[in-house]
Amino acid sequence: MEEQKPKRPIFTPIVLILLTFSLIGNVFLYARSLQHGKDQRIERGMTILQSGKETKLHFEQVTSGLDDLLNHEDMPTRLAAKSLLIAAYNKSSAVTAFIKEAETSNGTPFASSNRNAATFLEQAEKSLQALGNHTGPLTDEERSYLKTLLAVNQACATAMASFKHDTISDTTAMTIQVDKAWVQSAQKLAEQMNKPANVIFTDK
């Protein structure tokens, strides 16, 4: 009598195939998760770099504009300087974005007992729109306010002087997130904007 060979269970290769596909799927999902995380870090780094660059430019432009206002008494030059200042403030959202990212990296918001960055920028812009809209030289009150605001913006420009990231790339976007120097610059920036007792212009 011929001996019958035992039949190999059919489910064994099926299980192996399923396990293989499962492993491949898990590897794919893991790799995709890593790439997604990297993309998010690059995107955040780009935001830091771009907002920091624009913040630095903002305070340079405002400082220059305020200096022009103080040193030129004729109406045409004054209005031209005011127009440039208002244009700079129209792009000031980069300042708040930069500080927000720094606070995220810092883990806690920066102190703002008097005002935060957004309030400072809003009050300064409204004040600049209100003053100097008359013939003749600036009043003593206007000059005093402009000198105070100039000093604050000069301090802010100094705080941003160390931010030297002209090249924006995936690599710099990743590396800046482990660099704490820009966070310290943003903190100094917030401190300067919080420091004045009053930023609202009044001619009384």
Side-chain angles (χ1 to χ4, degrees), residues 3 13 30 33 52 69 73 90 116 126 156 181 184 193 195:
E3 184 179 352
Y30 180 66
S33 175
L69 270 179
E73 292 291 348
N90 285 339
N116 58 22
K126 287 183 177 179
C156 289
Q184 295 170 358
M193 289 187 282
K195 188 178 292 185

Side-chain angles (χ1 to χ4, degrees), residues 82-95:
K82 286 188 64 172
S83 295
L84 291 175
L85 281 167
I86 299 307
Y89 276 97
N90 285 339
K91 298 180 180 179
S92 64
S93 59
V95 179

Side-chain angles (χ1 to χ4, degrees), residues 66 145-156 192:
L66 290 171
Y145 174 82
L146 289 172
K147 287 178 180 179
T148 300
L149 190 61
L150 175 60
V152 176
N153 279 273
Q154 285 173 332
C156 289
Q192 293 300 330

Side-chain angles (χ1 to χ4, degrees), residues 38 112 134 140-141:
K38 182 181 179 181
S112 56
H134 55 79
D140 290 342
E141 291 80 5

Side-chain angles (χ1 to χ4, degrees), residues 67-78:
D67 193 56
D68 282 345
L69 270 179
L70 283 165
N71 290 308
H72 296 88
E73 292 291 348
D74 60 289
M75 178 62 82
T77 305
R78 186 193 305 167

